Amino acid sequence: MDTIHRSVEIVVVAISIIGALVTIWGVFEAVAGFLSLKLSRKGKDEIAVSEFLRQKLGAHLLLGLEIFIAADVISSVVSPTWDKVGLLAAIVAIRTVLSYFLRMEVRQTQQ
């Protein structure tokens, strides 16, 4: 049983790292795009490019949050205590609200 707990902990850490990498990747892409926009001398539509960058960043943030939620669910399934379940419920609620508003903003900018 101890081996199962360790294995699941490794899986949870790996999933969390993937979520962090997705989020960090999105931030790097957004910053690189922003710097490219500001440093270029071409007559680009700055508003359209900025909105595109916001959409891409929002998509990465949403995916990262969903991956983090998956890691939290897996970790609480292995050793379900009432404290962990309560903490998981609070984390999932907060992340779900964040995801909802991010998704609304991404949809709003697509219209």
Side-chain angles (χ1 to χ4, degrees):
M1 194 65 154
D2 197 34
T3 305
I4 293 172
H5 285 286
R6 286 189 184 139
S7 299
V8 171
E9 286 177 7
I10 291 170
V11 169
V12 167
V13 169
I15 292 172
S16 297
I17 289 171
I18 291 169
L21 289 174
V22 167
T23 304
I24 291 168
W25 184 270
V27 170
F28 281 141
E29 276 188 355
V31 169
F34 177 77
L35 290 175
S36 172
L37 175 67
K38 293 301 178 184
L39 296 176
S40 70
R41 296 285 183 202
K42 297 177 183 173
K44 295 180 181 177
D45 183 11
E46 288 191 21
I47 295 173
V49 174
S50 295
E51 286 300 317
F52 176 73
L53 291 172
R54 286 183 63 220
Q55 286 179 3
K56 282 179 62 175
L57 178 59
H60 280 88
L61 292 175
L62 283 172
L63 181 58
L65 284 172
E66 297 297 327
I67 293 171
F68 287 134
I69 289 172
D72 289 338
V73 168
I74 291 170
S75 71
S76 69
V77 167
V78 173
S79 55
T81 64
W82 285 110
D83 290 338
K84 280 192 173 184
V85 171
L87 182 61
L88 175 66
I91 290 171
V92 168
I94 292 168
R95 289 182 179 167
T96 302
V97 168
L98 286 172
S99 294
Y100 173 76
F101 285 111
L102 277 170
R103 196 172 293 121
M104 274 184 33
E105 185 171 332
V106 167
R107 283 185 190 152
Q108 186 178 19
T109 57
Q110 288 176 346
Q111 294 175 354

